[in-house]
Amino acid sequence: MKEIDLINTFSSLVNGEHEKVTDKKYPSTYIVGCPRSGTTALLQLLSQSGAFAYPTNCLTRFSASMSYATVIQELLFNEEFGFIRTTDTIDFNSEYGRSSGPLNANEFFHFYRRFFPNTDIKHLNKTELTQVDCEGLEAELKVLSQFYNKPFISKGLMMQYNLEYFYRKLDKPIFLHIKRNELFVMQSIYKARVKEKKSANNWWSAKPKQFETLKDMDKFSQIAGQVLYTNNAIENALLNIPDKSKLIVSYEDLVRDPLEVLIKLKEKYLQNGYELHFEDMQKISKKLKNGNVITLDEQILTQLKLAYKKLAKNK
């Protein structure tokens, strides 16, 4: 779209005239997984691929309306117009899911919270599920897909403890479950608690269905349970979702060969009747780093491993 067309579109929006959204039924992909399992790295890789419309730091700041947000982002940052020039797009740097730069990938929580009764990542009961505005969510995502003429991808963490429900309510969703060695996930969550919550004793991030029981346990059992029960909830739900609508990705495979993950997702989209178009796949970023490095005291890691083993035995 030309700059003058975008300006005219913005003027129409201000005057209350909204472009009709046609239903092209692009499959949308939602990344799910434990906190610190690589969800951000996977989102950034797929955003960089050029095949998807993805949530940016700019879009999330105007998340009250995707009609406005998409036009504003293009008017500000489209390199053809030269209003604000930026090369700061996907740099594969983030701090607990937060990235910098207007066109870098964003977790999009401000957007999703428009449609959910909760603000945190947790299991929703039947009453809460009925309060999720799935139709409104789908309508806004179609605006994004139509504007960029690409399927949409984002994290789906707000959905991940109720995947079967959202599979039924959303239009052709594909769930991408990223899994990482449990020890390194627990190590990273422990460190996130210290940095983000000022103490390893304070809960941080996603709350599985068993949260009410876990919150009264010691910190090692809390972290172990958060990882164990989150993965179990996702895995059990995916058993009841058709193969064409799910893909399991290993974090270790992702950092070893990101191109292989893109090929698998391309095949998954073909099963859904859509061909993904990546930019030069040989230039796919080599900036992904393997974070599986021991950085905590061995005594802490031993406590985490013992707690995980105990919970897994009793599940």
Side-chain angles (χ1 to χ4, degrees):
M1 189 178 291
K2 296 180 179 179
E3 181 179 13
I4 188 61
D5 295 328
L6 288 167
I7 293 173
N8 290 335
T9 297
F10 185 80
S11 298
S12 297
L13 290 171
V14 171
N15 292 325
E17 303 169 17
H18 288 258
E19 182 180 356
K20 183 178 180 181
V21 178
T22 58
D23 188 4
K24 293 187 178 180
K25 295 188 181 299
Y26 291 112
S28 291
T29 299
Y30 303 96
I31 298 169
V32 297
C34 288
R36 311 306 298 156
S37 63
T39 55
T40 298
L42 182 55
L43 174 61
Q44 289 179 323
L45 172 73
L46 295 173
S47 299
Q48 185 206 41
S49 74
F52 297 96
Y54 68 92
T56 65
N57 290 325
C58 178
L59 288 178
T60 198
R61 282 157 174 77
F62 302 98
S63 57
S65 169
M66 286 301 101
S67 295
Y68 278 94
T70 49
V71 174
I72 290 171
Q73 177 167 284
E74 289 300 293
L75 283 172
L76 291 177
F77 299 107
N78 189 310
E79 61 183 16
E80 294 181 10
F81 310 146
F83 184 64
I84 300 177
R85 297 188 181 277
T86 178
T87 57
D88 187 11
T89 53
I90 308 299
D91 60 7
F92 290 90
N93 291 316
S94 65
E95 184 173 0
Y96 302 111
R98 299 184 294 271
S99 64
S100 61
L103 302 182
N104 213 332
N106 186 278
E107 294 187 307
F108 225 27
F109 284 130
H110 290 300
F111 172 81
Y112 282 108
R113 285 167 180 152
R114 290 176 53 198
F115 308 99
F116 281 71
N118 50 298
T119 59
D120 50 358
I121 304 165
K122 69 168 194 169
H123 175 267
L124 302 180
N125 60 37
K126 290 183 179 179
T127 300
E128 290 169 327
L129 285 172
T130 63
Q131 296 170 353
V132 180
D133 182 8
C134 292
E135 289 187 8
L137 172 65
E138 286 275 81
E140 285 285 79
L141 294 184
K142 285 176 182 176
V143 170
L144 262 172
S145 288
Q146 177 170 298
F147 187 89
Y148 291 106
N149 199 27
K150 296 177 181 179
F152 176 74
I153 189 163
S154 78
K155 293 186 183 183
L157 305 185
M158 301 284 281
M159 309 174 192
Q160 70 180 16
Y161 293 116
N162 303 88
L163 287 187
E164 289 182 75
Y165 177 84
F166 289 107
Y167 170 74
R168 295 192 301 269
K169 300 295 283 187
L170 299 178
D171 187 13
K172 297 175 69 175
I174 297 175
F175 297 114
L176 216 53
H177 181 200
I178 184 163
K179 298 183 66 177
R180 182 182 181 186
N181 182 295
E182 293 87 358
L183 178 62
F184 294 106
V185 176
M186 292 191 292
Q187 172 181 259
S188 194
I189 291 175
Y190 187 98
K191 294 174 67 176
R193 284 181 166 214
V194 173
K195 184 164 185 179
E196 296 285 296
K197 296 296 183 178
K198 309 306 179 186
S199 170
N201 293 314
N202 296 329
W203 189 277
W204 176 77
S205 194
K207 299 175 180 177
K209 189 176 183 180
Q210 297 82 356
F211 170 74
E212 289 301 318
T213 300
L214 288 173
K215 69 182 178 66
D216 295 324
M217 295 182 175
D218 64 87
K219 60 190 174 187
F220 303 108
S221 297
Q222 287 181 1
I223 294 171
Q226 185 180 25
V227 175
L228 175 68
Y229 297 134
T230 296
N231 275 329
N232 285 349
I234 295 171
E235 290 167 356
N236 291 336
L238 290 180
L239 290 175
N240 299 311
I241 291 174
D243 182 69
K244 72 175 185 177
S245 299
K246 61 187 177 185
L247 179 64
I248 298 174
V249 175
S250 159
Y251 169 83
E252 289 74 20
D253 288 343
L254 176 68
V255 296
R256 175 184 56 83
D257 188 358
L259 185 58
E260 180 181 331
V261 174
L262 292 178
I263 292 172
K264 288 181 179 179
L265 186 57
K266 187 179 182 75
E267 293 170 352
K268 193 65 59 176
Y269 263 74
L270 285 174
Q271 293 178 31
N272 286 272
Y274 182 86
E275 184 175 2
L276 287 176
H277 297 284
F278 297 119
E279 294 177 356
D280 188 347
M281 296 179 71
Q282 298 306 316
K283 292 183 179 179
I284 291 301
S285 180
K286 302 297 183 183
K287 295 181 180 179
L288 282 175
K289 297 178 180 179
N290 189 343
N292 288 355
V293 179
I294 296 296
T295 55
L296 279 180
D297 184 87
E298 186 61 38
Q299 289 184 333
I300 297 175
L301 293 176
T302 298
Q303 293 277 20
L304 289 169
K305 285 187 283 188
L306 288 173
Y308 187 90
K309 185 177 180 180
K310 182 179 179 181
L311 289 174
K313 183 179 180 181
N314 295 331
K315 72 175 181 178

